[in-house]
């Protein structure tokens, strides 16, 4: 799936679990959390809805509280930890799978036929619905083998993770890291040439 930029969420892949992990990023050497306020989580959900990767609630229907935000951020940490391990060549663990399954169980899924697609619709509180859909995505990525294609960005300061089937990609995106590294490398060459 093509990566898209959606306002303040620079890397949307169409996979809610990966997109949630990528709501933490590094700018100018400082780690930033893009989900600081409940409104930020609502904006992220709206961005996913626009990408049609999270179409299961009407936009105005999300009631995100501080408690819900904290649960989602904690869940993001558990997913990030596993995704980083997988990007480093480790295996998925059974406890992590059980955490995903338990999250789905708290907001079981029903399905609706919307715009020609069968869409999962969690039954439960908004916070449990968000976790359920993210967990469902994570388990689907595991089921299809997509998690074996997880990679870390080659920029050592970047914390973004992406899926790459080609094995040739180095950067989370050329716009975010690739061009910056190339510009820095070229500037270093110019500086070196001027010194000699």
């Amino acid at each position: 799936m093509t990566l898209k930029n959606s306002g303040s969420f620079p890397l949307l892949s169409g996979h809610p679990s990966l997109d949630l992990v990528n709501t933490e990023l590094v700018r100018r050497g400082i780690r930033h959390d893009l989900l600081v306020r409940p409104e930020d989580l609502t904006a992220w959900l709206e961005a996913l809805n626009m990408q049609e990767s999270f179409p299961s609630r009407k936009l105005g229907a999300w009631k995100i509280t501080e408690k819900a935000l904290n649960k989602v951020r904690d869940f993001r940490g558990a997913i990030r930890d596993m995704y980083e391990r997988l990007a480093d060549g480790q295996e998925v663990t059974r406890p992590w799978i059980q955490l995903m399954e338990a999250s789905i169980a708290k907001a079981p899924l029903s399905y609706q036929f919307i715009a020609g697609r069968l869409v999962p619709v969690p039954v439960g509180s908004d916070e449990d619905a968000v976790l359920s859909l993210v967990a469902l995505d994570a388990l689907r990525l595991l089921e299809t083998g997509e998690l074996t294609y997880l990679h870390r960005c080659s920029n050592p300061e970047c914390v973004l993770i992406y899926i790459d089937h080609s094995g040739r990609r180095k950067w989370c995106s050329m716009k975010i890291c690739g061009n910056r590294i190339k510009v820095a490398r070229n500037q270093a060459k110019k500086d070196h040439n001027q010194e000699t």
Side-chain angles (χ1 to χ4, degrees):
M1 181 160 290
T2 305
L3 299 173
K4 299 176 183 170
N5 185 325
S6 180
S8 58
F9 304 103
L11 200 62
L12 294 178
S13 66
H15 297 292
S17 62
L18 185 57
D19 295 340
L20 180 59
V21 166
N22 287 333
T23 59
E24 289 181 296
L25 48 87
V26 174
R27 289 185 183 138
R28 294 180 175 80
I30 299 170
R31 193 173 191 133
H32 293 275
D33 187 344
L34 301 179
L35 303 179
V36 176
R37 302 167 299 135
E39 297 83 22
D40 300 331
L41 180 54
T42 300
W44 178 74
L45 292 167
E46 290 173 0
L48 293 185
N49 189 293
M50 291 175 65
Q51 300 287 325
E52 295 185 3
S53 58
F54 216 78
S56 57
R57 297 255 170 143
K58 292 187 171 93
L59 290 179
W62 290 107
K63 303 287 188 255
I64 302 300
T65 64
E66 193 72 34
K67 177 184 169 199
L69 174 65
N70 290 333
K71 278 181 80 171
V72 169
R73 288 171 60 175
D74 289 345
F75 197 64
R76 175 185 62 192
I79 294 174
R80 171 175 287 286
D81 181 58
M82 182 53 61
Y83 282 9
E84 287 177 348
R85 290 174 186 217
L86 292 168
D88 293 340
Q90 296 181 31
E91 297 290 319
V92 70
T93 64
R94 185 70 193 140
W96 184 80
I97 293 171
Q98 290 169 331
L99 173 63
M100 298 301 112
E101 292 169 340
S103 297
I104 294 169
K106 287 181 183 173
L109 303 168
S110 72
Y111 288 84
Q112 294 180 1
F113 197 72
I114 301 172
R117 291 180 33 205
L118 192 57
V119 178
V121 180
V123 179
S125 70
D126 282 355
E127 62 195 66
D128 289 336
V130 170
L131 299 182
S132 179
L133 289 169
V134 169
L136 175 65
D137 177 67
L139 291 178
R140 281 185 173 160
L141 289 174
L142 176 63
E143 173 191 35
T144 61
E146 289 294 293
L147 294 181
T148 61
Y149 297 101
L150 284 178
H151 295 276
R152 293 177 186 254
C153 182
S154 291
N155 177 356
E157 293 183 7
C158 184
V159 297
L160 297 177
I161 298 173
Y162 59 91
I163 294 174
D164 175 36
H165 293 98
S166 72
R168 290 178 274 147
R169 187 169 152 196
K170 296 172 78 172
W171 317 109
C172 58
S173 83
M174 284 304 293
K175 183 178 180 182
I176 297 172
C177 287
N179 285 337
R180 289 181 192 160
I181 297 295
K182 287 181 178 186
V183 167
R185 192 180 314 135
N186 286 335
Q187 186 62 45
K189 283 181 187 177
K190 283 182 185 177
D191 293 346
H192 177 70
N193 289 339
Q194 289 177 353
E195 291 174 5
T196 56

